[in-house]
Each structure stands twice: as structure tokens, then as C-alpha cells.
């Protein structure tokens, strides 16, 4: 909890930017660079949150730098999705696919935890099986690839928890919850776009998305906390 308190003040700009987005609630029917800025502003604040830990920290810790890179691609994806009705949905999908690859790389492959991988594979397969009949054209395979990538990212986040071995940390918990919220956000997008209108879809999508990105950004500071702990010891 000491770490949570120490990181909290650095997240104040993010919370303010998120409030601005929900207060303004700009209509999606009239996309503009201003609405793109308002949507991306909370993600920009997460860039600042990571950069506030120092360039040397980001350079020396690959997981943190990869999460920062993922946040950069996320912001580009957010901007594309502002104009998704003008044909930029696939561009946004590609940006977020790259984001999930970067996050997976940041979470690493140890411990492997094949049981978690199998469970995540079953969940993702079930989701795609449900969506399949609603998909057509290139989305038939694009959505399959995307689900595989976000499912892999979710697996690596869950695998890091190691609850049974009592080796989890608050930052690993952040990564795990963040990954799950990201999956909820993207599943809501898919259901709303391809299947049927989801009540309060925009609120659900953006609330879970911003929370997911914040928690994943928080998970990047774990290696710094370990260094501080060693110094205090």
C-alpha cells in the first residue's frame, strides 16, 4: 500500500482527463481532431505518468518501455477509431493488435502456467465462435487474429499472478485486472459493432478501457519498486 500511495499523486492528471472526457461526452456522430484529443488525453497522461519515473528507468527496464510503447500505439488507435465510420476501424484494430503484442512482451513468458493459457484459450474460442456468424469479409479472420492476440496478452497477465504460490504483487494484480478489463472493453466493442446494440455500450467500453490502461501502466513500476525495496533493505 506504500507503493500505491506513492504512485497515486502521479495519476491525478489521468483522473482529471478521464473526468473531462465523460463530462464533455462529445457526440461520436461528428468526429473531429478536438474529440480525438479529448479521447486520447487520459492516455497521454499515462505517458507522462511513466515518463515521470525517469528516462533512465524506462531505458533500463524493457517491460516499462514496452508498456509505454503500447500506450503510444493505443493513442493512435483511439484516434483512428474516432473516424471508424469513415473507414478507419481496421487501422484502429491494427494499432491495438500491436499494443497487445507489446503488453504480452512486457508481461513475459515466465511463469508459463499452461492451465491459465488453456482457460484463456477456451474463453477466447467461445467468444469467437459466438461472433463468427455475425462476421463477414476480412473481419472473419481479422477478428480471429485480434482475439488470439488479446487472449495471449490476458494469459500472460494472469500467469504472472501465481496466487497459489503466494508470489503475487500489487503490480502483477494490476496487470491481471487491467488485462481482463481490456478484454471486457473490446468484447463490448465487438458485440456492439457486429452483433447487436449493447445498452450504454460507449460508457462500458470507455470506463473499462481507461481503467485497464491505468492498471497496466501501474504494473510497469514493479521493477522500480523492487529496486527501492532492495535499497531500503
Amino acid at each position: 500500500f506504500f507503493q500505491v500511495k506513492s504512485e497515486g499523486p502521479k495519476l491525478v492528471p489521468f483522473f482529471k482527463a478521464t473526468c473531462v472526457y465523460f463530462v464533455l461526452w462529445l457526440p461520436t456522430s461528428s468526429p473531429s481532431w478536438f474529440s480525438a484529443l479529448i479521447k486520447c488525453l487520459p492516455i497521454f497522461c499515462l505517458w507522462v505518468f511513466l515518463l515521470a519515473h525517469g528516462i533512465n528507468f524506462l531505458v533500463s527496464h524493457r517491460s516499462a518501455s514496452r508498456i509505454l510503447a503500447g500506450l503510444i500505439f493505443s493513442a493512435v488507435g483511439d484516434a483512428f477509431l474516432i473516424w471508424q465510420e469513415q473507414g478507419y476501424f481496421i487501422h484502429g484494430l491494427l494499432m491495438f493488435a500491436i499494443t497487445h503484442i507489446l503488453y504480452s512482451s512486457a508481461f513475459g513468458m515466465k511463469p508459463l502456467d499452461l492451465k491459465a493459457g488453456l482457460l484463456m484459450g477456451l474463453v477466447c474460442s467461445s467468444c469467437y465462435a459466438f461472433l463468427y456468424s455475425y462476421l463477414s469479409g476480412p473481419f472473419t479472420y481479422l477478428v480471429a487474429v485480434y482475439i488470439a492476440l488479446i487472449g495471449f496478452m490476458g494469459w500472460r497477465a494472469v500467469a504472472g499472478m501465481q496466487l497459489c504460490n503466494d508470489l503475487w504483487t500489487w503490480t502483477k494484480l494490476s496487470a491481471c485486472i487491467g488485462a481482463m478489463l481490456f478484454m471486457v472493453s473490446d468484447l463490448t466493442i465487438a458485440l456492439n459493432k457486429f452483433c447487436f446494440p449493447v445498452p450504454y455500450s460507449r460508457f462500458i467500453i470507455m470506463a473499462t478501457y481507461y481503467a485497464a490502461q491505468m492498471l497496466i501502466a501501474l504494473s510497469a513500476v514493479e521493477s522500480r519498486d523492487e529496486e527501492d525495496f532492495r535499497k531500503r533493505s
Side-chain angles (χ1 to χ4, degrees):
F1 293 102
F2 168 78
Q3 290 95 335
V4 175
K5 288 181 180 179
S6 67
E7 299 300 335
K10 300 188 188 80
L11 286 169
V12 169
F14 165 80
F15 289 120
K16 289 182 177 179
T18 302
C19 288
V20 167
Y21 173 84
F22 285 108
V23 168
L24 292 181
W25 203 244
L26 298 172
T28 56
S29 56
S30 54
S32 66
W33 285 108
F34 179 70
S35 58
L37 174 63
I38 295 302
K39 184 183 181 185
C40 295
L41 194 57
I43 307 303
F44 294 158
C45 291
L46 292 178
W47 297 4
V48 175
F49 166 74
L50 289 181
L51 289 169
H53 290 84
I55 298 297
N56 290 336
F57 167 71
L58 292 171
V59 171
S60 59
H61 296 90
R62 291 182 180 179
S63 60
S65 59
R66 286 168 185 170
I67 287 176
L68 176 60
L71 288 168
I72 292 171
F73 278 99
S74 293
V76 177
D78 281 332
F80 276 130
L81 292 182
I82 287 287
W83 286 277
Q84 61 177 292
E85 299 303 325
Q86 285 71 37
Y88 287 96
F89 181 80
I90 292 179
H91 299 72
L93 198 69
L94 175 61
M95 293 299 102
F96 280 107
I98 295 171
T99 294
H100 296 317
I101 292 171
L102 287 164
Y103 286 170
S104 299
S105 177
F107 298 150
M109 290 302 295
K110 294 180 181 180
L112 195 59
D113 197 348
L114 292 176
K115 289 182 180 179
L118 179 61
L119 178 61
M120 193 62 66
L122 289 172
V123 171
C124 291
S125 297
S126 299
C127 290
Y128 182 69
F130 178 82
L131 292 169
Y132 182 77
S133 60
Y134 295 94
L135 302 173
S136 60
F139 286 114
T140 304
Y141 59 87
L142 287 175
V143 170
V145 172
Y146 186 86
I147 287 176
L149 289 173
I150 194 172
F152 186 83
M153 185 271 292
W155 169 33
R156 297 322 310 147
V158 171
M161 279 289 294
Q162 290 189 279
L163 282 173
C164 296
N165 297 328
D166 199 28
L167 295 175
W168 67 278
T169 62
W170 74 271
T171 44
K172 284 185 168 62
L173 180 62
S174 292
C176 182
I177 298 175
M180 296 302 100
L181 288 174
F182 216 134
M183 294 178 74
V184 170
S185 179
D186 281 358
L187 178 60
T188 307
I189 290 175
L191 291 174
N192 192 65
K193 183 173 181 64
F194 300 114
C195 304
F196 47 78
V198 177
Y200 308 106
S201 59
R202 185 180 170 192
F203 177 80
I204 295 169
I205 290 164
M206 297 311 299
T208 52
Y209 170 69
Y210 285 141
Q213 293 283 40
M214 179 197 70
L215 289 168
I216 290 172
L218 268 172
S219 75
V221 305
E222 177 173 25
S223 48
R224 185 183 181 92
D225 293 335
E226 289 172 350
E227 282 183 354
D228 292 344
F229 177 78
R230 285 195 296 269
K231 287 177 181 177
R232 289 196 301 270
S233 301

